[in-house]
Amino acid sequence: MTDPTPPRPGSRAGRKASGAARRRTASTGARIREEGAPRVRLPRRLAPRKSPTQDRARETVEAILEAAVDLFSSRGYARTSTNHIARRAGVSVGSLYQYFPNKDAVLTALLARHLAAVESAIHACIPPLRDPAVPLRDGIRRLLELLREVHEADPRLSRAIEQQVGQMPVVPEGLAGYKRDHVATLAEILSTRPDVRPGNHALMAVLLAAVTETVSVVLVHAAPARFGRDEMLDEAVEALCRFVERPPGRLS
Amino acid sequence: MTDPTPPRPGSRAGRKASGAARRRTASTGARIREEGAPRVRLPRRLAPRKSPTQDRARETVEAILEAAVDLFSSRGYARTSTNHIARRAGVSVGSLYQYFPNKDAVLTALLARHLAAVESAIHACIPPLRDPAVPLRDGIRRLLELLREVHEADPRLSRAIEQQVGQMPVVPEGLAGYKRDHVATLAEILSTRPDVRPGNHALMAVLLAAVTETVSVVLVHAAPARFGRDEMLDEAVEALCRFVERPPGRLS
DNA sequence: CGACGAAGCGAGCGATCGCTCGTATCTTGA
DNA sequence: TCAAGATACGAGCGATCGCTCGCTTCGTCG
């Protein structure tokens, strides 16, 4: 009942006894730039406390984040304590607090990764969407494919994250504001392309963005068994295209 | 710092001292059937502990729910304790636990009301949607209007509720299952109407339902200042209609 | 009026939470 | 080789949480 929660089989051996400490390959540190973290100014409350410099520490941070993914998505954010996370990561709470000032910061780190993935998916699709030579449909399909990929990476996590964001008392401006930017870009694209129907493009962009997000989530979470992956994608593309496309005027 | 949280000005005088207890109109209890509660079998964990029989008690329950609305939507579910709720309601924790077995039950009661509202909105729109004589567009518009109304009743609450539902460890089948029913109904309607384009109507129904929900939320929450209420509604109707309507074959 | 059930009260229990800090161990570089 | 910083550890603090329970007060009715 007291939730012994043995470290998950896969990650990090459960060296309970203090003696059997970590012995890792001490390969010279690969100075990889912290991947997947968008350049955003985070408030002290949520910013990482200090960056790991040794490989050992990087592993610790990674294990913590993996454990957090696991627990947030299975038990929910509120029901997951920092002690849970640490234990599951095969790490002490103290170590967790070396790198994250508080629980929200752990979620924020996860959120940052997720948003970075979403952002890069969107960014990859802006050029084709801008290009009037590329059919609108193709750009939209590509975007949905990429977003689906992001959500598929860890469906439970992206669900948990997106739900929790709304609950966070402070959603860092930098992380939330990216949406506004993209909606603006989208509005501009809609106004430019000749194959988009006339109308209030700013408004259309707001709706389109919201619907796109929803649809990409549904693509992953709605009974993937009942409908084929591609079938669903086709229908989703259809929905978005029909909304914005200028009707050909001829042909059905 | 310990959050004295005086009872909100509007509701229920703050009779702190035990002496100045409640003096309410003891009018013979209006036996109104608990309004807004769908006939759903709730697990003991979430079911109300006992129903209030006196008016005084009904007031208490009402005050508790109002306070919960207020706190859940402003501080979030996780950050709201039962003591908070009771204090804000001008009631003791003990009284709260007379009617709700635990915190989740309070949320569930709120959820039940919300879903009842959504459900009745949907139900009201099914006949016109079924009727081929009524333009599809009219039925959809009416549905969005009604859903918008529901969310407008208390935007913060419906937001908080819908976010929390996903986090709840046990979403009662009866409360969650209503969606499946409506999607099925929707699929059937799509298959029947001659003005709907051919295709996989079951799949279209899934997407349509998800998009409808999103859109109705956006209608209320997305900067209501930047766009006119009706303008947004028009555009949303457009989005949904274009998705399912059979193109006229002539005319733009 | 008196008695009884319904309703209300709130101190406080046990559990858990987020988080700290003194100490032990590891890694690095000169 | 070894000092010094980086990393890790985990018992446990203070706060808060959900919730109980012994008791008082209110409303009703014979």
Side-chain angles (χ1 to χ4, degrees):
Chain A
M1 190 52 62
T2 49
D3 194 339
T5 318
R8 45 190 320 212
S11 71
R12 205 166 262 242
R15 54 200 165 43
K16 259 294 156 50
S18 54
R22 232 179 304 171
R23 285 297 150 75
R24 288 298 159 128
T25 55
S27 67
T28 51
R31 245 317 113 65
I32 301 168
R33 189 89 207 77
E34 173 65 295
E35 46 189 335
R39 288 308 84 184
V40 175
R41 199 100 188 102
L42 250 35
R44 171 87 97 225
R45 253 205 92 250
L46 298 176
R49 189 166 259 174
K50 75 182 185 187
S51 323
T53 65
Q54 301 180 5
D55 277 359
R56 189 169 51 135
R58 262 187 292 275
E59 277 176 37
T60 298
V61 170
E62 206 49 44
I64 290 170
L65 290 178
E66 273 175 31
V69 166
D70 206 20
L71 291 171
F72 287 167
S73 56
S74 66
R75 301 179 37 103
Y77 181 74
R79 287 168 161 60
T80 300
S81 76
T82 47
N83 281 299
H84 283 151
I85 298 174
R87 187 144 33 203
R88 167 93 64 161
V91 143
S92 118
V93 233
S95 298
L96 187 154
Y97 280 96
Q98 292 242 342
Y99 302 105
F100 302 96
N102 51 57
K103 197 170 80 156
D104 280 355
V106 178
L107 177 65
T108 302
L110 254 24
L111 172 61
R113 286 192 177 190
H114 177 73
L115 287 188
V118 170
E119 183 139 38
S120 99
I122 294 177
H123 246 99
C125 292
I126 289 182
L129 282 172
R130 266 196 210 289
D131 185 352
V134 178
L136 186 58
R137 179 168 301 256
D138 293 357
I140 287 179
R141 165 177 291 270
R142 185 86 193 108
L143 177 60
L144 283 181
E145 278 173 355
L146 290 179
L147 287 179
R148 180 175 65 178
E149 231 169 71
V150 171
H151 287 288
E152 266 173 349
D154 192 333
R156 295 172 314 155
L157 173 67
S158 50
R159 196 177 186 68
I161 284 181
E162 304 213 336
Q163 262 167 10
Q164 201 51 41
V165 173
Q167 299 280 20
M168 289 219 299
V170 176
V171 180
E173 177 57 25
L175 297 184
Y178 89 110
K179 270 190 192 173
R180 252 192 306 285
D181 295 346
H182 287 138
V183 169
T185 307
L186 189 53
E188 180 231 311
I189 290 176
L190 291 180
S191 306
T192 308
R193 294 191 63 106
D195 51 354
V196 167
R197 69 182 167 93
N200 183 339
H201 291 132
L203 175 49
M204 284 169 62
V206 170
L207 284 173
L208 194 57
V211 170
T212 302
E213 195 175 322
T214 299
V215 163
S216 70
V217 170
V218 170
L219 282 187
V220 175
H221 291 100
R226 292 189 48 207
F227 311 107
R229 271 171 51 95
D230 292 338
E231 189 186 11
M232 291 192 68
L233 185 66
D234 286 343
E235 202 62 50
V237 171
E238 195 66 32
L240 297 185
C241 285
R242 281 170 170 268
F243 177 41
V244 294
E245 262 176 359
R246 176 196 297 275
R250 48 181 64 256
L251 250 163
S252 73
Chain B
M1 189 52 64
T2 48
D3 194 336
T5 318
R8 39 188 328 208
S11 71
R12 205 164 263 243
R15 54 197 163 48
K16 257 298 155 49
S18 53
R22 235 178 299 170
R23 284 298 147 77
R24 289 298 159 126
T25 55
S27 69
T28 51
R31 245 317 113 62
I32 300 170
R33 189 90 205 75
E34 174 63 296
E35 46 191 334
R39 287 308 84 186
V40 175
R41 198 103 189 97
L42 250 34
R44 171 86 98 225
R45 256 205 85 252
L46 299 175
R49 189 166 261 178
K50 75 182 186 188
S51 324
T53 64
Q54 300 181 6
D55 278 359
R56 187 170 52 137
R58 263 188 291 275
E59 277 175 38
T60 298
V61 170
E62 205 50 45
I64 289 170
L65 290 178
E66 273 174 32
V69 165
D70 205 21
L71 291 171
F72 288 167
S73 55
S74 67
R75 300 178 39 102
Y77 182 73
R79 288 173 157 72
T80 300
S81 76
T82 46
N83 281 297
H84 282 150
I85 298 173
R87 187 140 37 203
R88 169 91 65 160
V91 142
S92 120
V93 233
S95 297
L96 187 154
Y97 280 97
Q98 293 239 346
Y99 302 105
F100 302 97
N102 52 58
K103 198 171 79 157
D104 280 354
V106 178
L107 177 65
T108 302
L110 255 23
L111 172 61
R113 287 191 177 190
H114 178 73
L115 288 188
V118 170
E119 183 139 38
S120 98
I122 294 177
H123 246 98
C125 292
I126 287 183
L129 282 172
R130 265 195 209 289
D131 186 353
V134 178
L136 187 57
R137 179 168 300 256
D138 292 357
I140 288 179
R141 166 177 291 269
R142 186 82 193 110
L143 177 60
L144 283 181
E145 279 172 356
L146 289 179
L147 287 179
R148 179 175 67 178
E149 232 170 70
V150 171
H151 288 287
E152 266 173 350
D154 193 332
R156 295 172 315 154
L157 174 66
S158 50
R159 196 177 185 69
I161 283 182
E162 303 214 335
Q163 263 168 10
Q164 200 53 41
V165 174
Q167 299 278 20
M168 288 219 300
V170 176
V171 180
E173 176 57 24
L175 298 184
Y178 89 110
K179 270 191 193 173
R180 249 192 308 285
D181 295 346
H182 287 139
V183 169
T185 306
L186 189 53
E188 179 230 313
I189 290 176
L190 291 180
S191 306
T192 308
R193 295 191 63 105
D195 51 354
V196 167
R197 69 180 167 93
N200 183 339
H201 292 131
L203 175 49
M204 284 168 64
V206 170
L207 285 172
L208 194 58
V211 170
T212 303
E213 194 175 321
T214 300
V215 163
S216 71
V217 170
V218 170
L219 282 187
V220 175
H221 292 101
R226 293 189 47 206
F227 310 107
R229 268 171 52 95
D230 292 338
E231 189 185 13
M232 290 192 69
L233 185 66
D234 287 343
E235 202 61 49
V237 170
E238 196 65 31
L240 296 184
C241 286
R242 280 172 171 267
F243 176 41
V244 294
E245 262 175 0
R246 177 197 297 275
R250 46 182 65 259
L251 248 163
S252 73

